[in-house]
Amino acid sequence: MAHFYDSVSRTFNEYLLIPNKTTTECYIDNVTLTTPLVKYKKGEKPALSLNVPFVSAIMQSVSNDSLAISLARSGGLSFIYGSQAIDTQVEMVKKVKKCKAGFVTSDSNVTPNQTLDDVIKLKNNTGHSTIPVTDNGLGSGKLLGIVTGRDYRLSRDDLTTKVNEFMTPIDKMVVGDESLSLKEANDVVWEHKLNCLPILNKKGNLKYLVFRKDYDEHKDNPDELLDDEKRLVVGAGINTRDYEKRVPALIKAGVDILCIDSSDGYSTWQEQTIKYVKDTYGENVKIGAGNVVDKEGFIFLVECGADFIKVGIGGGSICITREQKGIGRGQATAVREVVQARDEYYEETGTYIPICSDGGIVHDYHIVLALAMGADFVMMGRYFARFDESPTKVIKLGNNYVKEYWGEGSNRARNWQRYDGSESERQGMKFEEGVDSYVPYAGKLKDNLDKTLTKIKSTMCSCGSINISQLQNTARITLVSSTSIIEGGAHDVILKEKSDF
């Protein structure tokens, strides 16, 4: 007969945190949110970590290159959605990797014999307003000059004008040599009040560009998530269908980590996908897998070689898997069981497997609950879909501004690749497991994320913790009744309308 679980499947909304003693070290500026992203052995450091415990969902309406750039600058990570052509996903990854907090390789260059028209077309195509002039038009060519918006006026200059007639020639430029450190290069930028400093090798060939704006942005974002070359870190979603073509292209583009996007991770298809990645690239390429909701699913993916495990089925705000198929589990219960399995595995083997809680987040304090229950980081879709940087446009709906938000299991996304063994491109999707919806527009990612991080740190201080590991080891959590949830909000009063100031 079928196996029955006697325990109730519970959500984050059914729990509250009990305060621990707040000591003198428990203040917001003293809280660190660094957390491991991939597995590691006891006594070692993980190859990849997050500076804040957030990753964005692998969704068309959430994770593109602009959101990936903004989130990495704040310390988190985006998995650029895989339900698109390989070449367009690759281009998104490249755009993120080109955002470098330091030495930038130039990929927008012209020769002296090209025209102003060529410069304008290049600027429109790339968005780059600073364009080096080299002898061969390559980023590694001999530097002859530079073109910026100050060198021409479209209202007066002829588009056929040769670049060498209006560029700033190298003899009027300040340049640096390749022996300079990034700090020394930034000192030159500030000393000479430059917007850009070209770095040349001994032969006069262009090596890098150092921008003032990169220095400013780094100072404004001290938690930036960077690789060894000072480039922003980015992930990418893959499916279990075209991985033999998609994965090599993404790796060539510089992706830092992969994650399988699937409605159910406890499958032979995920095993085959992980095996391909590990057999082909070994431990040099990291890959997350999921989603699962119990110990059996967790152990299966760990033994397949997954570097982190994603937990949650049916808990997302746009997911209707539970409604359509009766498959899933309350997010809090799922996280607790998988975390227990993870901890047992760590004790037995000495290998720690990070857990990503995916779904079920309604309020900011739910993030703290997920972390306190043992998750290392959370994946969110609705949260990030609200921001300027997500792919969708701002729409006015009645008196409110909103953004569109749809699930990968919806007819709009038509992401049949994530449903292993049940659909095919020829057959099409027979039914939806996600909805097409709106979310309230919230503005810029950084402004909102900073507020959320402040809430999280404040909550952790009330729990007597200044890091995630401490929170997981000492947090006290209690079940609550439905009436105590009502009691926790404003009640039995007449609320004043909020003013504009």
Side-chain angles (χ1 to χ4, degrees):
M1 64 178 291
H3 177 79
F4 286 85
Y5 290 81
D6 293 329
S7 58
V8 176
S9 180
R10 298 192 180 278
T11 67
F12 292 135
N13 215 42
E14 297 176 78
Y15 292 94
L16 288 174
L17 292 151
I18 300 294
N20 280 329
K21 182 180 180 181
T22 303
T23 65
T24 55
E25 67 176 1
C26 293
Y27 55 92
I28 289 174
D29 290 343
N30 200 36
V31 176
T32 58
L33 295 175
T34 303
T35 190
L37 178 60
V38 296
K39 65 184 177 185
Y40 61 95
K41 293 187 179 298
K42 190 173 185 179
E44 298 179 354
K45 290 185 178 181
L48 290 171
S49 295
L50 298 168
N51 291 331
V52 299
F54 295 158
V55 298
S56 65
I58 311 169
M59 298 174 68
Q60 294 173 7
S61 55
V62 178
S63 297
N64 63 347
D65 51 288
S66 59
L67 188 121
I69 290 169
S70 185
L71 183 52
R73 281 181 172 152
S74 293
L77 176 83
S78 285
F79 286 98
I80 290 177
Y81 68 93
S83 53
Q84 60 177 317
I86 294 173
D87 59 344
T88 57
Q89 187 184 25
V90 163
E91 284 305 309
M92 287 187 181
V93 169
K94 287 181 177 179
K95 286 181 180 179
V96 181
K97 298 308 292 184
K98 286 174 185 174
C99 288
K100 190 173 183 179
F103 295 113
V104 179
T105 302
S106 178
D107 58 359
S108 296
N109 311 282
V110 293
T111 66
N113 292 323
Q114 287 183 266
T115 65
L116 176 57
D117 187 48
D118 294 321
V119 169
I120 299 305
K121 287 178 179 177
L122 186 60
K123 179 182 176 182
N124 291 338
N125 287 335
T126 65
H128 300 155
S129 57
T130 298
I131 301 175
V133 183
T134 62
D135 61 343
N136 57 8
L138 299 177
S140 58
K142 185 177 180 64
L143 186 68
L144 303 176
I146 201 161
V147 173
T148 70
R150 295 190 300 270
D151 293 314
Y152 58 86
R153 293 178 66 180
L154 287 178
S155 60
R156 294 188 179 184
D157 294 337
D158 191 330
L159 291 177
T160 62
T161 306
K162 298 287 187 180
V163 168
N164 60 11
E165 295 180 34
F166 61 86
M167 71 180 188
T168 300
I170 190 168
D171 57 6
K172 294 184 179 180
M173 295 169 55
V174 176
V175 298
D177 65 74
E178 59 184 335
S179 66
L180 291 177
S181 67
L182 181 58
K183 182 181 183 304
E184 290 169 335
N186 281 320
D187 288 342
V188 174
V189 168
W190 282 96
E191 180 183 349
H192 294 275
K193 299 179 181 179
L194 305 174
N195 288 323
C196 174
L197 175 69
I199 302 295
L200 311 183
N201 65 15
K202 293 179 180 179
K203 295 181 179 180
N205 289 7
L206 180 63
K207 290 281 290 184
Y208 305 109
L209 300 173
V210 176
F211 291 95
R212 175 192 289 265
K213 65 180 179 63
D214 286 342
Y215 176 86
D216 292 339
E217 286 174 351
H218 181 64
K219 290 300 180 183
D220 290 339
N221 299 282
D223 290 327
E224 264 187 327
L225 194 62
L226 304 173
D227 65 15
D228 293 338
E229 298 179 36
K230 302 292 185 182
R231 301 175 301 177
L232 296 177
V233 175
V234 63
I238 63 171
N239 60 62
T240 59
R241 307 280 181 150
D242 66 5
Y243 55 85
E244 291 183 351
K245 294 180 180 179
R246 190 175 293 270
V247 170
L250 290 168
I251 291 171
K252 186 177 180 181
V255 75
D256 296 282
I257 185 169
L258 305 168
C259 185
I260 302 173
D261 176 29
S262 175
S263 63
D264 177 13
Y266 196 2
S267 76
T268 301
W269 287 276
Q270 292 223 3
E271 179 181 26
Q272 293 171 348
T273 305
I274 298 169
K275 185 177 187 301
Y276 164 80
V277 171
K278 294 303 181 181
D279 286 351
T280 307
Y281 302 100
E283 291 304 315
N284 291 325
V285 174
K286 306 301 182 183
I287 181 170
N291 288 19
V292 297
V293 292
D294 61 4
K295 177 179 180 178
E296 287 77 10
F298 169 79
I299 294 297
F300 172 77
L301 290 177
V302 169
E303 292 178 346
C304 289
D307 291 291
F308 73 84
I309 307 295
K310 211 145 58 86
V311 177
I313 295 177
S317 60
I318 41 71
C319 183
I320 53 173
T321 296
R322 298 180 193 175
E323 177 183 316
Q324 292 281 55
K325 296 170 63 175
I327 299 286
R329 200 174 197 186
Q331 188 67 10
T333 298
V335 168
R336 290 182 65 186
E337 179 172 323
V338 174
V339 164
Q340 183 177 353
R342 187 271 311 280
D343 292 346
E344 291 171 357
Y345 185 86
Y346 180 55
E347 287 297 319
E348 293 170 3
T349 67
T351 299
Y352 186 89
I353 313 292
I355 298 299
C356 170
S357 177
D358 178 17
I361 302 294
V362 180
H363 305 292
D364 287 346
Y365 79 87
H366 288 170
I367 300 169
V368 186
L369 276 169
L371 299 174
M373 289 179 180
D376 297 279
F377 54 98
V378 298
M379 175 175 279
M380 296 184 290
R382 179 190 61 85
Y383 180 89
F384 291 111
R386 303 173 300 148
F387 303 143
D388 286 325
E389 295 85 353
S390 72
T392 60
K393 295 180 180 179
V394 179
I395 299 171
K396 189 171 185 181
L397 194 65
N399 293 322
N400 300 309
Y401 288 96
V402 298
K403 295 197 80 175
E404 291 182 298
Y405 177 48
W406 60 91
E408 290 297 291
S410 67
N411 277 329
R412 180 169 183 174
R414 303 209 58 79
N415 186 5
W416 60 269
Q417 295 97 330
R418 72 196 307 268
Y419 299 101
D420 301 316
S422 59
E423 307 288 349
S424 72
E425 188 172 21
R426 180 177 59 83
Q427 293 173 334
M429 294 177 65
K430 301 299 183 183
F431 62 90
E432 293 182 287
E433 291 188 43
V435 299
D436 197 345
S437 63
Y438 299 104
V439 289
Y441 168 63
K444 292 187 178 298
L445 181 148
K446 180 174 171 55
D447 295 341
N448 287 273
L449 189 59
D450 285 350
K451 184 176 181 180
T452 295
L453 291 173
T454 300
K455 284 186 186 180
I456 289 171
K457 291 178 179 180
S458 178
T459 303
M460 288 174 62
C461 287
S462 294
C463 293
S465 304
I466 58 172
N467 58 58
I468 293 173
S469 178
Q470 196 174 58
L471 176 71
Q472 292 169 339
N473 290 326
T474 63
R476 296 188 294 165
I477 303 171
T478 182
L479 272 169
V480 295
S481 66
S482 57
T483 52
S484 68
I485 294 173
I486 296 171
E487 181 185 59
H491 60 91
D492 301 318
V493 294
I494 301 172
L495 294 176
K496 296 180 181 179
E497 291 189 9
K498 292 183 178 179
S499 64
D500 294 330
F501 54 87

